[in-house]
Amino acid sequence: MKSISLIQFLIEERRAGHVNAELSLLIEVVARACKRIAVATNKGALGGVLGDAGTGNIQGEAQKKLDVISNEILLEANAWGGQLAACASEEMEDPQPIPDMYPKGHHLLLFDPLDGSSNIDVNISVGTIFSILRCPDGVTEPKAEHFLQPGTTQLAAGYVVYGPATVLVLTFGHGTHEFTLDREVGSFILSRRDIRIPEETAEFAINMSNQRHWETPMQRYIGELLAGVDGPRGKDFNMRWVASMVADVHRIITRGGVFFYPLDAKIKAKGGKLRLMYEANPMAFIIEQAGGAATTGRERIMGLQPTGLHQRVPVFLGSRKEVEVATHYHVEADRAG
Ligand code: FDP
């Protein structure tokens, strides 16, 4: 079979009118930066990149050295290319403007440079998540408010999982596609086109240690899955939890399943655990484009009007029918008051 590189794929998609030149170049630049992050993560202890950076991000979370390195790689790679008006990252409170010495483009890039950082030091898969928006017309110096666009307006979204293989999963609204990094050649090669997530599943991902803090409908839903073949669902469910969202989502993209980070009493004041703009929205776009569903447990994630760059939301995503059942339980409980 003739292999198709990411660059070839993007050229073909440009010819089909699915992506414009500036956006396809931006995707290439992000993918190139992720190759450098893959090299850094692969070096592990030998690269002196493990452990804490000794700093905290704006959300009060301890930063790992690789969080900081990955953030710098993405910022540096994207500063000079001329496709961006500004960048925003989990690791920075405010958007980063494009330095005056470089030309500015029409896009806004948001990213979580290294998701699942608690897994870095134990050699478990981590990843990068990104979302691309259009910079509003006439805005030359984008501020946080210009990034606050609903997920439905995303032009592209993707993630790279740094696992046994480095894999890029990408959408720009015409299906979800997977590319695997050929390390010898240094290119991402198309490995799955138009991925489809099975509608039904018997596998779920959730941090069960939070169970006692969940809301009643979540307790009910997971309780029914755990009851298995003897319970109301009439089948046994299996559980998987990597604690790297990228790895858990990649499993779902590969063989179906559902992922939940619901509201619980500990995180209620914050609105949830995962960040809307650079975790939930891009993952929701990728999942929906593969035929799955993504909600907050109450409404479609991509329909939310964002209120803050670092806003958090509950996340339910994956195989459509299962997300629908869990969401229905929450909506029904709210209606019953
Ligand atoms: P992390 O904080 O390690 O970056 O993005 C947040 C995230 O990881 C997700 O990748 C992961 O799914 C989740 O948090 C893990 O949460 P728990 O610590 O509750 O397991």
Side-chain angles (χ1 to χ4, degrees), residues 50 70 91 103 110 164 182 202 219 236 266-267 272 284 296 299 309:
L50 302 185
S70 307
E91 306 302 330
L110 295 114
D182 181 331
Q219 305 263 10
D236 288 333
K266 289 186 299 170
I267 54 174
T296 62
E299 52 194 325
L309 200 53

Side-chain angles (χ1 to χ4, degrees), residues 61 90 112 114-119 207 210 241 243-246 248 259 261 273-275 279:
E61 295 159 340
E90 182 190 9
D112 178 352
L114 208 66
D115 180 66
S117 19
S118 67
N119 280 326
N207 183 344
N210 295 322
W241 180 250
S244 281
M245 189 193 196
V246 268
D248 280 311
F259 170 94
Y261 217 114
K273 158 93 180 181
L274 301 174
R275 276 50 65 107
E279 292 180 323

Side-chain angles (χ1 to χ4, degrees), residues 18 28 60 66 86 92 104 117 119 127 150 156-158 166 169 239 255 278 280 305 309 316 322 337:
H18 292 166
E28 269 182 65
L66 267 172
M92 308 181 305
K104 287 196 180 129
S117 19
N119 280 326
T166 294
V169 172
M239 197 197 91
R255 66 178 191 208
Y278 40 80
Q305 173 58 51
L309 200 53
F316 292 39
E322 219 45 58

Side-chain angles (χ1 to χ4, degrees), residues 142-179:
K143 308 267 178 311
E145 67 199 72
H146 301 115
F147 285 77
L148 303 184
Q149 307 176 31
T152 47
T153 66
Q154 291 175 101
L155 299 176
Y159 66 78
V160 176
V161 55
Y162 311 109
T166 294
V167 173
L168 163 70
V169 172
L170 182 66
T171 185
F172 31 83
H174 293 273
T176 292
H177 316 288
E178 181 204 79
F179 302 82

Side-chain angles (χ1 to χ4, degrees), residues 3-10 27-38 130 159-162 165-170 178-183 185-191:
S3 64
I4 299 173
S5 69
L6 174 65
I7 294 174
Q8 252 177 297
F9 179 85
L10 289 170
I27 291 168
E28 269 182 65
V29 173
V30 172
R32 205 176 317 135
C34 290
K35 280 190 237 172
R36 288 185 55 203
I37 300 174
F130 62 92
Y159 66 78
V160 176
V161 55
Y162 311 109
T166 294
V167 173
L168 163 70
V169 172
L170 182 66
E178 181 204 79
F179 302 82
T180 301
L181 182 62
D182 181 331
R183 284 175 215 254
V185 179
S187 298
F188 278 109
I189 305 295
L190 184 65
S191 37

